[in-house]
Amino acid sequence: MTASTRTLLRIFATGVLAALPLAATILIFVWAARLLLGWLGPDSLFGQVLKAIGFGVTGSELIGYLVGVGIVAAAIFGLGLLVEAGLQRGLARLVDALVTRIPLVNTVYALIRRMVELVAQRGNAAEGGLKSMRPVWCHFGGPGGAIALALLSNAEPVLIDGRRCIAVLVPTAPVPVGGGLLWVPEHWVTPAEVGIEALTSIYVSMGVTSSQYLPRATQPADRPA
């Protein structure tokens, strides 16, 4: 391989590496947009409902869908005004009282509500029942083993096979609302000095933003003899 060919390949490789962060960001947002379109687009079940809401007004499916989106957006905005004014508490209590009486539905509703409240909080400042739900490091196999950034589900240990274990949620990337619930030995878990926003960003970016929230390693790695 000639020197000029190696130079061209090096320049091309440098350009690829420089484009990777932007390309990865675009791919993540395109994936998210396609996912939302599949869930909320005109051809989705929710989209058909929106069409039905606005179709009687316009007579056009597309315009009816847009009108339906506008009506739903206005309703959500109105709910936001009620929340800001503190007037939604009576309605929330009524909804909770109705939903919690339905078997199975009440479990799913409680879980989703807990996750929404968790995402809504800022940093490590949790309130009420979410006080124990905070980012932690889970050291698999004990300190020195593989590490995962997780959420402490409940700080109160339980006995499993005679060992003190605590429950942690290990999210998935790039959709952190999924993941697994694990009971691990208590000494495997240590506090993580990061907030909920940092944890969400790290998982959504598939680790790309880790250096923005975690200390950078300035010392060279030790090489095995």
Side-chain angles (χ1 to χ4, degrees):
M1 186 180 295
T2 63
S4 59
T5 302
R6 287 197 298 270
T7 300
L8 291 175
L9 289 176
R10 187 181 70 252
I11 294 173
F12 182 79
T14 302
V16 169
L17 292 176
L20 274 178
L22 178 60
T25 302
I26 293 174
L27 285 175
I28 289 174
F29 277 95
V30 168
W31 170 83
R34 294 183 64 179
L35 184 65
L36 288 176
L37 187 62
W39 286 354
L40 308 176
D43 295 328
S44 66
L45 178 62
F46 184 72
Q48 297 297 325
V49 174
L50 294 180
K51 284 181 182 179
I53 293 175
F55 185 73
V57 178
T58 64
S60 169
E61 288 191 358
L62 177 59
I63 299 178
Y65 173 77
L66 296 177
V67 170
V69 169
I71 293 174
V72 172
I76 294 175
F77 185 79
L79 179 60
L81 291 177
L82 291 177
V83 172
E84 290 289 333
L87 300 178
Q88 94 296 351
R89 295 172 184 170
L91 178 60
R93 285 195 293 267
L94 177 61
V95 172
D96 289 346
L98 293 175
V99 174
T100 52
R101 295 177 182 272
I102 305 175
L104 184 61
V105 174
N106 58 356
T107 303
V108 176
Y109 175 76
L111 176 61
I112 295 176
R113 179 180 176 184
R114 186 178 176 91
M115 292 301 297
V116 169
E117 290 175 350
L118 176 62
V119 173
Q121 69 175 335
R122 295 290 181 178
N124 290 319
E127 297 292 339
L130 292 173
K131 184 174 290 185
S132 64
M133 187 77 82
R134 61 180 185 272
V136 293
W137 294 113
C138 185
H139 304 258
F140 292 100
I147 305 173
L149 185 57
L151 285 168
L152 180 63
S153 176
N154 193 330
E156 183 178 358
V158 296
L159 284 179
I160 300 178
D161 291 336
R163 295 185 300 174
R164 291 169 59 90
C165 297
I166 53 180
V168 296
L169 291 168
V170 181
T172 54
V175 186
V177 294
L181 174 62
L182 307 177
W183 277 266
V184 299
E186 189 177 19
H187 68 278
W188 284 18
V189 179
T190 58
E193 300 301 325
V194 297
I196 295 297
E197 292 179 1
L199 181 144
T200 303
S201 174
I202 290 172
Y203 272 97
V204 169
S205 69
M206 295 183 289
V208 173
T209 61
S210 298
S211 59
Q212 298 179 18
Y213 302 99
L214 303 175
R216 298 193 179 193
T218 57
Q219 297 296 328
D222 295 332
R223 295 186 178 180

